[in-house]
Amino acid sequence: MSMRRSLILLSILAAAACSPQTEKPSSADDGQREIRSLLGGWSKAFRNKDVDGVMAIYAPGQELVAYDIVPPLEYRGVDAYRRDYAAFFEEFNGPLDVEIRDLHIVGSSDVAFSYGLERMAGTLRDGAPFETWVRFTQGYRRIGGHWYAVHDHISVPAEPQTGKARFDLKP
Amino acid sequence: MSMRRSLILLSILAAAACSPQTEKPSSADDGQREIRSLLGGWSKAFRNKDVDGVMAIYAPGQELVAYDIVPPLEYRGVDAYRRDYAAFFEEFNGPLDVEIRDLHIVGSSDVAFSYGLERMAGTLRDGAPFETWVRFTQGYRRIGGHWYAVHDHISVPAEPQTGKARFDLKP
């Protein structure tokens, strides 16, 4: 083997050694785009009160830990959180509206989190209008080449002095 | 140059090419340990109502977006959040107690998030005892070789039907 050929071959081997991933590698930019797309799919499903659609964003099994607007303190596992979503959708007539504002996505190649403000609106079963702004944070892991939410935190602020939850705040 | 020497030299060059970071590289394990240490420092400062100590965990400037237990919907920038902490500490006589339970840290080499339940307790200025369990989520970026929290989300669950915030829940 000539020196020149051995140099070329070694350059190729070195480049291969620098990319040890067996699955398609992901950049932080890819992650941002993929998470934005996940949130788009979630929003569409939320509007249609499509439980399977909203749950598609979450990691299967017991990994998910969710802190929802409503009690209890935490939901563990995707089945418990699915029941929480289904119960929420049951409270409304017709479709919901949802708007995400001030969305931030902070991501690396395999871990990311997002946060922002979210307006949810709809018509309750008794015909009363419902509209509130909440804060959301979502944590993601890239598992087997796909991004999944493994953590959810959704809330409204509260007043310790009065014990009142502030569903009436606007950004 | 002999083939053997050129192979050795190229192996060294290839290894150098695989580590393009100019700052000390960090593994996910390093990140986990460093964030655990950050939270330990934060807890100690929180107990002592040491505003500078608690703020040391947060990214300087305007990057921080925090959703606190109390209104408003969001705090932007480290100065606004410092005033929030200072006002909270002012409500208490003597030191505070804080306990973190079910801590999860999900991290890569430069992005991470943590979440868990947190018991905060103390004696209010009027002598009344205060104790509550909250849910917390914190998002981090590794900036210039150091981990900083760039996002905070702390809350208690709330009841849309009654408008009541649930400061009384226990894990």
Side-chain angles (χ1 to χ4, degrees), chain B residues 2-167:
Chain B
S2 73
M3 176 65 107
R4 187 182 165 78
R5 284 189 64 188
S6 72
L7 278 172
I8 291 166
L9 180 62
L10 275 163
S11 299
I12 292 165
L13 290 173
C18 285
S19 304
Q21 296 94 334
T22 52
E23 63 195 39
K24 180 182 166 289
S26 165
S27 71
D29 284 350
D30 287 343
Q32 285 252 352
R33 198 176 52 244
E34 287 161 25
I35 285 158
R36 207 170 281 272
S37 160
L38 270 190
L39 288 171
W42 176 90
S43 296
K44 189 180 170 189
F46 188 89
R47 287 189 189 100
N48 294 329
K49 302 194 297 189
D50 164 10
V51 179
D52 287 337
V54 295
M55 295 314 295
I57 201 172
Y58 298 104
Q62 286 300 304
E63 182 171 354
L64 176 68
V65 176
Y67 307 150
D68 193 14
I69 308 168
V70 296
L73 281 171
E74 59 177 352
Y75 293 81
R76 286 178 177 247
V78 80
D79 292 344
Y81 206 36
R82 166 186 285 270
R83 288 191 292 274
D84 180 41
Y85 263 111
F88 177 76
F89 290 158
E90 271 299 305
E91 294 175 35
F92 292 90
N93 274 332
L96 292 169
D97 191 18
V98 68
E99 171 192 349
I100 292 176
R101 195 178 290 185
D102 296 335
L103 173 64
H104 290 71
I105 302 172
V106 179
S108 66
S109 56
D110 54 359
V111 170
F113 59 90
S114 71
Y115 56 93
L117 302 178
E118 196 174 281
R119 184 180 63 86
M120 299 186 302
T123 303
L124 293 165
R125 289 277 175 210
D126 64 5
F130 173 88
E131 182 179 40
T132 192
W133 279 93
V134 303
R135 303 93 58 88
F136 79 89
T137 304
Q138 199 158 55
Y140 312 88
R141 280 209 310 125
R142 194 161 177 269
I143 306 167
H146 294 276
W147 286 97
Y148 290 99
V150 298
H151 175 60
D152 237 12
H153 192 159
I154 311 175
S155 75
V156 294
E159 296 172 349
Q161 297 82 357
T162 62
K164 199 176 159 187
R166 297 296 304 272
F167 286 95

Side-chain angles (χ1 to χ4, degrees), chain A residues 65-109:
Chain A
V65 175
Y67 307 150
D68 195 13
I69 307 168
V70 296
L73 280 170
E74 61 178 349
Y75 292 81
R76 287 179 175 246
V78 81
D79 292 344
Y81 206 37
R82 167 185 285 269
R83 288 192 291 274
D84 179 41
Y85 263 110
F88 177 76
F89 290 158
E90 270 300 304
E91 294 176 34
F92 293 89
N93 274 330
L96 292 169
D97 192 17
V98 68
E99 172 193 348
I100 292 175
R101 195 178 290 185
D102 297 335
L103 174 63
H104 290 72
I105 301 172
V106 179
S108 66
S109 56

